[in-house]
């Protein structure tokens, strides 16, 4: 039997923003180990969500791994604030700044795990020079900005490609997948080689969220070879 295990990372983007602390509690109670915070600035993506203050205020109330996905331009200007807020992972977009190496180095130097993300139109080749320094690669399987979109199947090839490079070069980054991940798509995502499944609307739409997380795990198990 394979020793692989998928982590489920609910995104609170699809939660009721008037009660964000409760949303994070619901993630914790469901048995998921990671909570995914979608940070949007209205420039890199059309929507505006929230900033580091909200993450900081929730931090003392949760023992989950905090995973911040920065969909903002010039993320280097906000790294200190998200580190100070208590994030465990900070992921920035390949398309969001010229100075990716500098920004990723800054995250690492502050003692936080760093991630790089690519939108559907960005090839894996564009981040190959950074793969030896990142802790996580976040493959977007929808165009970022909104929850509830359909997974773009062709993006799964990028997970396969990244998994191949990881094995070939003996790198140890995790592969996370974000966008349209649900009970219908989890097996394809896992079969492609992902380690973390971000799931927003499917999690918050589920009537029994613990059962949803368990079902995601058991479907994932069936896909492990
Ligand atoms: C989209 C966000 C996602 C979003 C996923 O830009 O990065 O994290 O919450 O939502 P679903 O699972 O509904 O596609
Ligand atoms: Zn996200």
């Amino acid at each position: 039997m394979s020793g692989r295990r998928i982590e489920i990372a609910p995104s609170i983007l699809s939660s009721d923003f008037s009660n964000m602390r409760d949303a994070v509690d619901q993630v914790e109670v469901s048995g998921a180990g990671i909570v995914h915070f979608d940070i949007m600035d209205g420039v890199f993506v059309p929507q505006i969500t929230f900033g580091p203050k909200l993450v900081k205020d929730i931090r003392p109330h949760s023992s989950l791994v905090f995973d911040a996905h920065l969909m903002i331009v010039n993320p280097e200007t906000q790294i200190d604030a998200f580190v100070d807020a208590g994030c465990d992972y900070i992921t920035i977009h390949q398309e969001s700044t010229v100075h990716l190496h500098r920004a990723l180095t800054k995250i690492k130097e502050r003692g936080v795990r760093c991630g790089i993300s690519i939108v559907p139109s960005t090839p894996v080749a564009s981040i190959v020079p950074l793969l030896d320094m990142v802790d996580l690669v976040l493959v977007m399987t929808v165009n970022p900005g909104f929850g509830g979109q359909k997974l773009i199947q062709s993006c799964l090839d990028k997970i396969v490609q990244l998994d191949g490079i990881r094995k070939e070069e003996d790198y140890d980054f995790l592969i996370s997948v974000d966008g349209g991940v649900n009970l219908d798509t989890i097996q394809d995502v896992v079969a492609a080689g992902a380690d973390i499944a971000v799931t927003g609307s499917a999690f918050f739409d589920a009537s029994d969220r613990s059962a949803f997380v368990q079902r995601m795990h058991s479907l994932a198990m069936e896909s492990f070879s």
Side-chain angles (χ1 to χ4, degrees), residues 28 65 72 85 140 157 183 206 219 225:
E28 196 142 7
V65 171
I72 63 176
M140 292 297 309
D157 293 345
L183 294 171
L219 286 167
S225 44

Side-chain angles (χ1 to χ4, degrees), residues 159-170 175 192:
I159 304 170
V160 175
Q161 224 181 316
L162 283 160
D163 191 35
I165 296 171
R166 173 166 69 173
K167 287 183 178 127
E168 204 168 301
E169 301 291 338
D170 206 20
I175 302 173

Side-chain angles (χ1 to χ4, degrees), residues 3 13 16 18 33 45 48 55 63-64 70 84 93 118 120 135 137 150 163 177 195 214 218-219:
L13 181 65
D16 176 356
S18 70
V45 289
I48 298 174
V55 179
S63 57
L64 290 165
L70 305 194
D84 294 341
H93 265 269
I118 48 176
D135 300 294
V137 178
K150 193 173 178 308
D163 191 35
V177 183
D195 309 291
Q214 271 179 27
S218 48
L219 286 167

Side-chain angles (χ1 to χ4, degrees), residues 17-113:
F17 274 28
S18 70
N19 204 349
M20 204 73 94
R21 184 171 156 189
D22 179 61
V24 175
D25 281 347
Q26 288 176 39
V27 172
E28 196 142 7
V29 167
S30 75
I34 303 176
V35 58
H36 183 88
F37 291 94
D38 285 306
I39 315 296
M40 303 185 182
D41 66 354
V43 180
F44 184 73
V45 289
Q47 280 202 89
I48 298 174
T49 53
F50 47 82
K53 170 117 177 29
L54 181 129
V55 179
K56 188 175 192 162
D57 287 353
I58 293 179
R59 180 71 278 187
H61 304 289
S62 175
S63 57
L64 290 165
V65 171
F66 276 25
D67 172 29
H69 174 194
L70 305 194
M71 286 162 276
I72 63 176
V73 295
N74 302 325
E76 55 272 37
T77 63
Q78 298 297 325
I79 288 168
D80 282 327
F82 282 98
V83 171
D84 294 341
C87 296
D88 298 290
Y89 284 89
I90 298 177
T91 294
I92 61 173
H93 265 269
Q94 186 275 354
E95 309 83 7
S96 67
T97 178
V98 173
H99 305 294
L100 290 166
H101 186 276
R102 180 187 291 156
L104 292 166
T105 301
K106 184 167 181 179
I107 298 169
K108 283 166 82 84
E109 281 177 357
R110 293 274 341 252
V112 170
R113 296 193 190 104

Side-chain angles (χ1 to χ4, degrees), residues 184-199:
D184 295 329
T185 56
I186 183 71
Q187 291 196 315
D188 288 347
V189 162
V190 168
D195 309 291
I196 301 172
V198 176
T199 177

